[in-house]
Amino acid sequence: MNATLTTCPYCGTGCNFYLQSDVNGRLSGVEPAGKHPTSRGQLCIKGWNAHAFVDHPDRLTAPQLRRNGQLQITDWNSALDLLHDKLSGIAAQYGPDSLMFLSSAKVSNEENYLLMKLARAGYGTNNIDHCARLCHSSTVTGLVETLGSGAMTNSLSCFDETGLIFVIGSNTTEQHPLIGSRILNAVQRGARLIVADSRKIRLARHADLHLRQQNGSDVALLNGMMRQILQDGQEDTEFISQRTENFAALRQGVEKFTPEYVAQITGLPPEQIVSAARLFAQARRAMIVYAMGITQHSHGVDNVRAISNLALLTGNLGRPGTGVNPLRGQNNVQGACDMGALPDVYTGYQRVADPAARQKFSTAWGVQLPETPGLMATHAIEAAAAGQVRGMLILGENPMLSEANQGLVRKALERLDFLAVIDIFPTETTDLAELILPAACYAEKDGTFTSTERRVQRGRKALESPGAARPDWQILCALLQRCGLPAEYADPAEIMTETATLTPSYGGISYPRLEGMGLQWPCPDAEHPGTPILHREQFTRGKGRFSPVDYRPSAELPDADYPFLLNTGRTYFHWHTGSMTRRSHLLDREERQAFVEIHPADAKKHRIKERQQVKISSRRGTIAAAAQLTDRVPAGQVFIPFHFAEGAANALTNNALDPESGIPEFKVCAVRIEPC
Ligand SMILES: Nc1nc2c(c(=O)[nH]1)N[C@H]1C(S)=C(S)[C@@H](COP(=O)(O)OP(=O)(O)OC[C@H]3O[C@@H](n4cnc5c(=O)[nH]c(N)nc54)[C@H](O)[C@@H]3O)O[C@H]1N2
Ligand SMILES: Nc1nc2c(c(=O)[nH]1)N[C@H]1C(S)=C(S)[C@@H](COP(=O)(O)OP(=O)(O)OC[C@H]3O[C@@H](n4cnc5c(=O)[nH]c(N)nc54)[C@H](O)[C@@H]3O)O[C@H]1N2
Ligand code: SF4
Ligand SMILES: [Mo]
């Protein structure tokens, strides 16, 4: 029996475990890492089952090419030649910006670095993005403006020291289970808990206050809390005068958000807004924790600004047990952003529009680089549907199920002249691809992954990949070479060495230093111990900036034709588009089919029974799913997880985008329901 220490491939909590393999080199199970600072000898159900999909018979094992509608197996050389010829041919004919590259928060830092280098240096376009666009792009935009850095400010260990936790738009016990447990431990120790979520999530049961405001009304709620704090004279005047700017504008901006006005918008009783403000302001150390309930709105950046304003107003930044803490979702979404798999930045958020940064990368890579920021993933879908993007390479994403408004996504992908997908399994997106390349999964390769607390950690190879599947980094190296760029890296460690020289915040990161518990960036040099808490002496941007925001309603609200508000998200057992968890026996057994949460009173009105198939329609599509009658959702709202292809929530969702971050409004649109 062998045991290989590695990082969990599911969520950004970043737990570590040992993959156990038997004498035949097959995985037999998982054992949590006892000394790890996050997992501390525990795992959630997905971690315990992280070995289960690895040897599933559906794994892609050979490159495949679609000819006359039929998939044919081909060899690697022909497949890579074809891929390069197609991409360079489209670039030559229609310009490099007719290409789009989608990178992946499931793959390593090194692989994200190589794909962004390939897009920029190899094919001459900044059109590269990944699922952070659908996730925390609002955070990156909002927090860079207010604090100077888009990452979680504090560390997970801070939950052990805080006096109050304000969870807003995060179903933490299901989506970041080991962070959820840590919050529950803090509550047991005596910390106060405020939960703001229209759904009665598990944390709500343990909260001092559960605010069930209408989805999409958080700006009003947060502004109302700030107005009350100012009225009570509970703001941190010393912090405001020494460490912030633009305070007068904030005071003015929140002035109209009286408890009564906020009550009208949120549907909350005015007293609850006052109580929330008082509870929050009384804590000497308060942590704000948020996720998709905040970011996935057409005003997602404004939501993030409002959160940042609240933390600045109360001096809850730069100290242990405080902070603005966006919980990053995928195992390496923090890393994919850090590595510059984004249209406007290179690694470490160095801007492509900044001539000095461009010169630095141009010199290092030995090529001229494109000057204008590229397309966001969501804009690229629109551009492909309009015939402006013609070739796409997708590495480890499944936009057919994960992007908003599936009808539009299908139109976009079908209209492409060429689509290639690199994945470990067949997906709804590979179904549309001309070329499919088989990748090694996390257990079959080395690499690094960066968790939500900015902890860069090792993933380690435990077994060989099936058939002809190859690690993504090797596939990308072969493409870089076809573009005439040197790519003779012996292993991912050498790729990290190159990345570190170009990235100040990763400057001190190297494989030998990551043995043990990894390192938290910024880690600028080889002696630096890493940074558990950001903004201690000053903010990354200097002063913290108050950015007042006004309330804007969601793009599409319920009306007479579509009377229900559709909320979408996830469940404990499944992961996104299900490619891995629906192929993990024990997880699949727990939840086998698409379902919709409906309030019992609404079900009664529409004569819908428990487990009955229900038709749900929006202006963009119709799906069927099994009714789950529950008061987890408020009356007037239905909740559908987006894991299930046969009842795809995103056939319904609205692709209205936040004007700044380009994130879709996954959390609010209007639907109607009827029995099938
Ligand atoms: N099991 C499992 N875990 C996961 C994932 C998974 O697919 N499965 N995905 C990972 C990823 S990539 C991410 S990004 C995270 C996401 O983690 P979360 O953001 O925690 O998950 P969601 O279910 O998308 O939404 C969280 C909550 O936001 C609430 N909400 C909706 N609209 C609003 C609103 O307007 N205001 C407020 N205050 N709340 C609102 C919803 O009711 C829901 O309970 O989870 C990660 N962890
Ligand atoms: N309605 C609705 N839609 C949403 C959301 C929502 O809350 N509501 N949330 C959004 C959010 S936050 C996110 S993060 C996105 C996620 O959207 P996606 O990233 O598109 O979803 P995943 O299913 O995680 O897709 C990852 C793919 O990578 C593959 N893969 C896994 N490991 C590897 C590997 O090592 N190499 C390669 N090449 N491939 C690999 C998997 O098989 C899978 O097909 O969904 C978004 N969509
Ligand atoms: S909490 Fe996240 S990282 Fe930890 S075991 Fe569960 S899915 Fe894996
Ligand atoms: Mo995400």
Side-chain angles (χ1 to χ4, degrees):
M1 179 83 85
N2 274 324
T4 310
L5 181 63
T6 197
T7 305
C8 179
Y10 283 113
C11 91
T13 305
C15 300
N16 277 18
F17 53 63
Y18 293 91
L19 276 174
Q20 296 170 322
S21 43
D22 62 21
V23 282
N24 302 317
R26 287 194 49 205
L27 292 185
S28 52
V30 157
E31 180 71 31
K35 295 205 188 85
H36 189 263
T38 311
S39 37
R40 301 190 293 187
Q42 296 184 323
L43 294 172
C44 81
I45 191 86
K46 292 176 296 301
W48 279 112
N49 284 281
H51 63 294
F53 66 82
V54 173
D55 67 352
H56 193 282
D58 289 352
R59 280 291 299 274
L60 296 172
T61 55
Q64 296 176 79
L65 184 60
R66 198 178 306 274
R67 282 285 170 258
N68 306 319
Q70 296 293 314
L71 280 175
Q72 295 165 1
I73 287 180
T74 178
D75 64 278
W76 272 109
N77 259 338
S78 322
L80 290 164
D81 285 346
L82 176 101
L83 178 52
H84 176 63
D85 288 350
K86 289 278 189 179
L87 295 179
S88 48
I90 291 171
Q93 196 174 350
Y94 302 104
D97 291 341
S98 58
L99 297 178
M100 182 72 203
F101 294 81
L102 287 183
S103 196
S104 175
K106 279 265 152 279
V107 309
S108 67
N109 286 324
E110 292 76 7
E111 290 162 340
N112 274 289
Y113 173 77
L114 291 185
L115 185 61
M116 81 101 190
K117 181 172 176 180
L118 182 75
R120 294 187 157 123
Y123 294 106
T125 179
N126 285 315
N127 286 353
I128 174 156
D129 206 355
H130 71 286
C131 68
R133 187 64 48 205
L134 313 177
C135 185
H136 270 294
S137 55
S138 310
T139 297
V140 176
T141 307
L143 294 189
V144 165
E145 177 185 301
T146 56
L147 310 179
S149 166
M152 179 165 169
T153 63
N154 283 51
S155 286
L156 299 176
S157 61
C158 283
F159 288 111
D160 303 346
E161 306 175 60
T162 190
L164 180 140
I165 304 163
F166 182 16
V167 177
I168 178 162
S170 155
N171 184 1
T172 328
T173 59
E174 294 197 48
Q175 268 52 86
H176 294 88
L178 287 211
I179 301 179
S181 320
R182 208 141 182 165
I183 293 176
L184 292 175
N185 290 344
V187 171
Q188 242 165 15
R189 170 178 60 70
R192 314 302 294 271
L193 176 65
I194 307 176
V195 171
D197 194 313
S198 54
R199 290 167 78 222
K200 230 187 254 176
I201 55 171
R202 176 156 171 238
L203 278 183
R205 280 195 253 144
H206 304 268
D208 294 277
L209 190 59
H210 179 202
L211 305 165
R212 300 187 80 182
Q213 82 275 22
Q214 174 90 351
N215 283 16
S217 66
D218 298 73
V219 162
L221 169 65
L222 292 159
N223 279 350
M225 285 173 66
M226 285 186 266
R227 181 186 179 278
Q228 189 63 43
I229 289 169
L230 285 166
Q231 183 153 331
D232 292 346
Q234 289 291 320
E235 73 274 22
D236 186 336
T237 41
E238 195 183 321
F239 187 89
I240 294 168
S241 66
Q242 286 176 5
R243 299 214 39 198
T244 71
E245 62 188 33
N246 209 28
F247 174 58
L250 179 88
R251 187 187 276 282
Q252 205 184 4
V254 300
E255 192 45 48
K256 73 176 185 208
F257 289 86
T258 61
E260 294 69 31
Y261 178 54
V262 175
Q264 272 172 31
I265 298 172
T266 57
L268 297 172
E271 318 76 77
Q272 275 198 0
I273 297 146
V274 176
S275 306
R278 294 198 170 141
L279 199 54
F280 188 86
Q282 274 158 20
R284 285 201 303 122
R285 292 173 172 189
M287 292 177 80
I288 308 177
V289 169
Y290 73 90
M292 299 302 100
I294 284 297
T295 57
Q296 292 175 332
H297 293 276
S298 58
H299 51 263
V301 180
D302 283 350
N303 279 345
V304 172
R305 288 186 177 110
I307 284 184
S308 196
N309 289 340
L310 176 62
L312 288 169
L313 182 71
T314 50
N316 276 306
L317 280 158
R319 288 181 291 134
T322 67
V324 172
N325 300 291
L327 301 182
R328 305 301 302 253
Q330 295 258 34
N331 55 331
N332 200 34
V333 66
Q334 184 63 58
C337 291
D338 299 344
M339 291 301 109
L342 293 170
D344 56 341
V345 290
Y346 304 111
T347 61
Y349 308 93
Q350 302 170 81
R351 304 208 155 263
V352 298
D354 170 9
R358 201 162 58 242
Q359 186 59 48
K360 171 173 148 182
F361 280 84
S362 177
T363 309
W365 294 341
V367 287
Q368 285 287 87
L369 292 171
E371 294 180 14
T372 43
L375 286 172
M376 297 174 179
T378 39
H379 289 150
I381 298 282
E382 292 168 359
Q388 287 147 4
V389 161
R390 291 170 171 268
M392 202 178 284
L393 172 61
I394 301 179
L395 173 88
E397 291 209 335
N398 187 7
M400 268 302 288
L401 281 193
S402 59
E403 289 267 351
N405 191 357
Q406 190 180 54
L408 176 72
V409 182
R410 179 180 294 281
K411 183 175 162 203
L413 298 186
E414 283 179 348
R415 186 154 184 202
L416 291 171
D417 295 347
F418 178 71
L419 171 63
V421 180
I422 312 175
D423 207 299
I424 60 174
F425 283 118
T427 67
E428 294 67 24
T429 304
T430 62
D431 283 349
L432 300 180
E434 185 173 331
L435 183 68
I436 305 170
L437 299 179
C441 80
Y442 80 101
E444 299 151 0
K445 61 188 178 186
D446 288 318
T448 62
F449 299 85
T450 305
S451 79
T452 186
E453 58 171 359
R454 296 170 278 104
R455 189 182 295 276
V456 186
Q457 312 192 92
R458 279 293 314 274
R460 293 181 185 81
K461 178 171 171 174
L463 77 165
E464 296 301 325
S465 42
R470 284 187 186 174
D472 295 291
W473 67 270
Q474 289 180 8
I475 302 172
L476 296 171
C477 284
L479 284 171
L480 281 163
Q481 282 166 343
R482 279 169 174 74
C483 291
L485 292 164
E488 273 98 36
Y489 307 100
D491 52 31
E494 285 191 10
I495 306 171
M496 181 47 80
T497 305
E498 176 175 320
T499 308
T501 59
L502 289 166
T503 315
S505 52
Y506 277 64
I509 299 214
S510 62
Y511 274 43
R513 289 197 72 200
L514 296 179
E515 292 301 325
M517 300 311 160
L519 282 167
Q520 286 175 281
W521 68 255
C523 177
D525 58 61
E527 274 71 51
H528 196 283
T531 311
I533 298 176
L534 299 180
H535 316 300
R536 268 187 181 269
E537 308 297 325
Q538 58 167 5
F539 286 95
T540 311
R541 71 179 293 280
K543 295 255 179 186
R545 181 172 180 79
F546 283 106
S547 290
V549 285
D550 203 353
Y551 165 73
R552 278 186 288 132
S554 310
E556 184 187 78
L557 288 167
D559 56 20
D561 293 336
Y562 296 93
F564 286 89
L565 185 149
L566 171 67
N567 182 1
T568 67
R570 342 169 122 66
T571 70
Y572 179 50
F573 297 104
H574 281 300
W575 192 264
H576 294 161
T577 67
S579 70
M580 303 187 298
T581 49
R582 294 191 90 184
R583 292 187 176 91
S584 300
H585 172 66
L586 291 174
L587 300 176
D588 179 48
R589 197 182 66 182
E590 295 292 333
E591 269 167 5
R592 300 219 93 134
Q593 57 165 345
F595 66 90
V596 48
E597 292 180 359
I598 304 177
H599 192 276
D602 291 329
K604 201 167 165 200
K605 238 187 286 171
H606 292 266
R607 296 167 195 271
I608 293 166
K609 303 243 155 30
E610 177 71 17
R611 274 185 280 182
Q612 181 181 348
Q613 284 292 110
V614 183
K615 207 165 92 175
I616 308 113
S617 316
S618 76
R619 289 188 175 80
R620 292 153 296 278
T622 298
I623 62 167
Q628 209 177 81
L629 308 193
T630 169
D631 68 353
R632 246 161 92 92
V633 282
Q637 179 183 124
V638 295
F639 175 84
I640 308 180
F642 73 105
H643 308 305
F644 303 97
E646 70 279 14
N650 281 323
L652 308 172
T653 49
N654 189 358
N655 57 309
L657 304 181
D658 181 293
E660 295 167 278
S661 68
I663 201 167
E665 192 135 72
F666 285 124
K667 295 291 189 253
V668 179
C669 75
V671 294
R672 68 169 168 251
I673 56 175
E674 53 211 310
C676 276

